[in-house]
Amino acid sequence: MAMTAYDVEGEVDYEKVVKKFGASLIDDSLAKKLDHPLVPELFFAHRDLDKILANPKGFAVISGRGPSMNMHIGHLLIFKFVKHLQDKFNAFVFLPFSDDEKLLARGLTIEHVLQMSYENLLDMLALGFDPKKTEVMIDLATLKQEVYNLSIEAASHMTMSTVKAAFGFSDDVNIGIHFYPGMQAAHILYPTKKLGVPTIVPIGIDQDVFVKLTRDVAPKMGLAKPGDIMSKFLPGLTGGKMSSSKPETAIFTTDTPDAIKKKIANAFTGGLPTAKEQREKGGNPDVCVVYKYLRIFFGIDVRKQCRSGTYLCGDCKGILTKEMQKMLKDHQSERVKVEKNLEKFSPELGDLRNKFKK
Ligand code: SF4
């Protein structure tokens, strides 16, 4: 069976999972080097990060996107972290789009996944990646020969039994899905092949298996093993997992101010049944999604006000709504700006704009 991060129904025992995966927790010294407010609170575990950060020739960062739907703020957070690594370490960033995998695994049409690749691309580049140190590749539109060749080489070192054991695929899925780990490995290893430096993959903990498999094949291809930085799951607005297919659980980058307000109004909190009770006893920030979002997205900590009953949930929701509306208004305006300048990244992206601009 595929490795899963869920060891306990509805909750994740992260330390246990890291141990089971054979990865390491980010310690104080690594956290200091990464110098990011969400390390280690959100980005908490790694493989070989210490070795890769110490590489005298530097390293590259790769972070892909499977574009089946619009991006939500959880995705945005990962790419903001990637941008931080580019700025902090002058790292080359590779942003591949696995739209081909979405077609194979979800049965979506080429037109749909390409349109989504384009929309997601605008969200990612709106974060301000440096065009001189960033390469974008959309598998179904701008796949490079070198990457295809790498995928074939990687696939030649993977057996069906390894892939099945790693991902839990059964015989009745299409043959493209069985091949796809070869393409994922090619995405991860492309910067190493191109620049001769190892890669770091910032990734949700449930995706670590791709990196693990690539680490097994890289030495057989004469390439350095990639490392990763794993993130915890961000809770959905309604308290469970954030999911693109359940719009009420996530705020999307394209949501209107009204939609943001409505979603936050229905968010799960640690409040008490009546305002009177909450003023007397205080709320519980440890189970509260609004509390978590304020901290993670905006660095605002209302623990004291919550515990003392000074703030009621409506106050926190009001602050979060205002901050989120502003953040996404700014993001949407950067999206418009970057769309006009896609050629700075590559002429192919300019061609895509002419085809997919709405
Ligand atoms: Fe959450 Fe704020 Fe309510 Fe406390 S007062 S439970 S932090 S929303």
Side-chain angles (χ1 to χ4, degrees):
M1 283 297 291
M3 282 188 280
T4 167
Y6 284 92
D7 273 22
V8 186
E9 180 90 336
E11 278 181 38
V12 184
D13 183 339
Y14 286 107
E15 291 211 9
K16 197 171 159 190
V17 175
V18 165
K19 223 176 183 179
K20 182 174 156 191
F21 282 14
S24 310
L25 292 172
I26 291 182
D27 61 17
D28 288 349
S29 135
L30 272 177
K32 208 170 165 192
K33 283 182 193 152
L34 290 172
D35 188 25
H36 187 277
L38 296 180
V39 178
E41 181 179 355
L42 190 71
F43 300 99
F44 76 110
H46 74 99
R47 288 184 191 278
D48 277 359
L49 185 60
D50 39 359
K51 278 190 213 155
I52 293 178
L53 288 185
N55 185 39
K57 287 189 182 163
F59 60 88
V61 183
I62 170 258
S63 192
R65 170 85 189 120
S68 57
M69 307 203 47
N70 280 320
M71 275 170 63
H72 58 58
I73 52 169
H75 301 130
L76 216 54
L77 208 57
I78 298 259
F79 289 103
K80 281 185 177 182
F81 182 64
V82 173
K83 164 79 168 47
H84 168 78
L85 294 177
Q86 177 169 77
D87 294 345
K88 171 102 191 142
F89 298 99
N90 194 29
F92 172 83
V93 165
F94 180 46
L95 304 171
F97 284 72
S98 312
D99 45 5
D100 42 359
E101 193 260 350
K102 288 298 163 204
L103 187 143
L104 291 167
R106 299 262 184 98
L108 300 170
T109 63
I110 288 192
E111 292 73 23
H112 175 80
V113 293
L114 274 174
Q115 183 70 51
M116 281 300 116
S117 289
Y118 180 70
E119 297 299 326
N120 289 189
L121 166 78
L122 297 181
D123 280 321
M124 283 148 75
L125 298 185
L127 299 176
F129 286 101
D130 179 348
K132 292 193 192 80
K133 286 184 287 175
T134 306
E135 184 170 340
V136 174
M137 197 191 64
I138 297 174
D139 282 357
L140 290 172
T142 65
L143 182 71
K144 284 202 161 165
Q145 184 70 53
E146 299 95 295
V147 175
Y148 177 70
N149 292 4
L150 269 180
S151 75
I152 295 296
E153 205 185 337
S156 78
H157 295 293
M158 293 175 187
T159 64
M160 190 66 109
S161 57
T162 306
V163 167
K164 276 184 173 178
F167 298 99
F169 297 151
S170 58
D171 284 346
D172 57 357
V173 298
N174 64 60
I175 57 171
I177 291 177
H178 287 279
F179 167 74
Y180 209 76
M183 183 55 83
Q184 295 280 17
H187 288 167
I188 293 171
L189 294 173
Y190 170 62
T192 303
K193 181 82 178 174
K194 177 176 165 148
L195 304 169
V197 294
T199 55
I200 291 177
V201 193
I203 207 162
I205 188 167
D206 55 334
Q207 303 291 304
D208 171 66
V209 61
F210 286 109
V211 178
K212 199 164 181 286
L213 205 58
T214 306
R215 285 168 61 82
D216 291 341
V217 297
K220 296 174 188 159
M221 297 164 69
L223 298 171
K225 283 186 181 187
D228 64 13
I229 303 178
M230 297 174 218
S231 75
K232 295 179 183 173
F233 294 115
L234 199 61
L237 278 169
T238 47
K241 206 180 166 192
M242 192 184 284
S243 165
S244 298
S245 56
K246 292 182 189 155
E248 71 282 7
T249 67
I251 293 172
F252 292 87
T253 57
T254 46
D255 276 351
T256 62
D258 264 2
I260 295 168
K261 190 174 173 189
K262 273 188 204 137
K263 286 182 182 182
I264 293 176
N266 292 321
F268 182 79
T269 71
L272 295 179
T274 67
K276 183 173 177 292
E277 241 180 302
Q278 196 167 333
R279 279 204 187 90
E280 285 165 12
K281 298 179 185 161
N284 182 0
D286 294 330
V287 298
C288 178
V289 172
V290 174
Y291 174 79
K292 193 145 202 160
Y293 278 31
L294 279 171
R295 264 189 57 77
I296 286 187
F297 288 98
F298 306 107
I300 298 173
D301 192 340
V302 294
R303 175 170 291 272
K304 271 191 200 151
Q305 295 89 328
C306 171
R307 283 279 188 219
S308 64
T310 316
Y311 277 7
L312 297 183
C313 297
D315 299 318
C316 297
K317 286 179 174 179
I319 300 169
L320 182 60
T321 301
K322 220 169 131 195
E323 295 287 343
M324 197 64 83
Q325 286 170 335
K326 183 177 178 323
M327 179 179 95
L328 288 183
K329 187 173 174 235
D330 293 346
H331 178 74
Q332 286 161 9
S333 102
E334 289 305 316
R335 238 177 155 259
V336 173
K337 277 189 220 159
V338 86
E339 187 170 33
K340 293 180 187 145
N341 292 309
L342 290 175
E343 286 84 356
K344 284 188 181 170
F345 290 87
S346 77
E348 290 90 351
L349 296 190
D351 295 342
L352 278 185
R353 180 191 52 231
N354 302 336
K355 207 165 164 189
F356 291 106
K357 187 172 185 216
K358 280 182 177 168

